[in-house]
Amino acid sequence: MRRLYLAFLVATCALSQPLPAQKDTIDIREWLVCGPFPVGTREGITGVVEDPLTFRPSEGDTFRSALVQGGITTCRKVAEDSTGWLETNYQNVLWDSIQTYYGNVGISCAGFAYAEFDCPRACRALALAPKLGGFVLDGRGYLGDVYGNGWFQVPLQLDSGRNRVLLRISGYADQQVRFRLVPPAAPVTVVLKDITI
C-alpha cells in the first residue's frame, strides 16, 4: 500500500505543471505605514488588526496607540530609501522619554506596512524579507527573515492581477525592514547557508 501511494505521489508530481517563475524582481517603493502599537513579547499587532488576512488600510486611517502623543496614529505613505530599506519613522513618539520611564519594555512595539502591486500572470517567486517577523500576501501568512540572516527565502505564489501585502513590523522603537520579490533560480533550491542542514 505504501509503495502504491508513493508511486501515485511521484506520478502526480511528474504530471502537474508548476507555475512559471516570476521574470523580474518586484521592489515596492512606497508603503502605507502605521504604528507604533505597544505589545508584549512576540504578540504581534494584537488588538489593532483584527484579521491580518483581510486587513486593507487606507491613507489617513487612524488607530489608537498609547505610544503616540495624543493617543492617535495615522496611516501615511512612506518611501523606501535609495538602498531599498523601509524606515518606519513613527510620528509623534518620544522614544527617549518612554525608555527612561519604562525601560526597554516600554519601547517594544509593533506596526504594519501595506502595499498593493500588479502581476501580469500567476507565477512562482521568492520573498526576501530581512528583519520582518512575518507578512501576509493575498490572504496567506508567511514567516520572514526575522534575524536578517540573508539566507531565508520564502517560496510563494503570486496571483495574476492585483496582489496585496501586509508587513508585520516589530521590535524596539523605530525599525528598518526590507521586502522584495525575486525570481527563483531553479524549480528546486537547496539553502546551503542554513546551518541546520
Side-chain angles (χ1 to χ4, degrees):
M1 185 68 165
R2 191 174 189 182
R3 287 183 186 173
L4 181 62
Y5 175 73
L6 287 174
F8 173 76
L9 186 61
V10 168
T12 302
C13 290
L15 292 175
S16 67
Q17 294 295 324
L19 285 174
Q22 173 187 333
K23 288 187 176 183
D24 299 313
T25 296
I26 297 173
D27 195 1
I28 302 167
R29 294 291 182 191
E30 190 172 69
W31 295 85
L32 198 58
V33 174
C34 197
F37 304 100
V39 294
T41 305
R42 294 179 172 86
E43 281 182 2
I45 318 171
T46 305
V48 176
V49 176
E50 290 183 23
D51 184 2
L53 302 181
T54 59
F55 184 64
R56 293 184 187 165
S58 298
E59 185 176 11
D61 284 353
T62 59
F63 298 90
R64 294 189 178 279
S65 174
L67 292 174
V68 178
Q69 296 296 301
I72 300 290
T73 182
T74 304
C75 293
R76 62 190 171 75
K77 289 184 180 178
V78 177
E80 290 183 342
D81 67 18
S82 60
T83 61
W85 287 88
L86 175 66
E87 176 78 37
T88 55
N89 288 325
Y90 296 127
Q91 305 293 295
N92 303 317
V93 183
L94 303 175
W95 291 120
D96 291 340
S97 297
I98 295 169
Q99 186 173 24
T100 298
Y101 192 79
Y102 294 105
N104 283 345
V105 124
I107 61 172
S108 177
C109 65
F112 61 81
Y114 177 81
E116 298 182 2
F117 63 94
D118 291 316
C119 192
R121 62 179 182 167
C123 60
R124 294 176 294 115
L126 293 173
L128 308 180
K131 300 295 185 177
L132 283 169
F135 61 94
V136 176
L137 178 69
D138 296 326
R140 296 179 291 268
Y142 299 92
L143 293 175
D145 184 5
V146 67
Y147 298 111
N149 294 324
W151 56 262
F152 192 77
Q153 300 175 354
V154 183
L156 48 78
Q157 174 182 322
L158 298 176
D159 296 333
S160 63
R162 181 59 47 119
N163 287 260
R164 295 168 180 84
V165 62
L166 177 73
L167 307 182
R168 297 175 179 165
I169 303 170
S170 59
Y172 295 100
D174 281 304
Q175 296 295 302
Q176 191 178 46
V177 298
R178 190 172 191 181
F179 182 84
R180 65 183 354 185
L181 298 163
V182 299
V188 176
T189 303
V190 177
V191 181
L192 298 175
K193 292 180 181 178
D194 183 357
I195 197 167
T196 60
I197 286 180

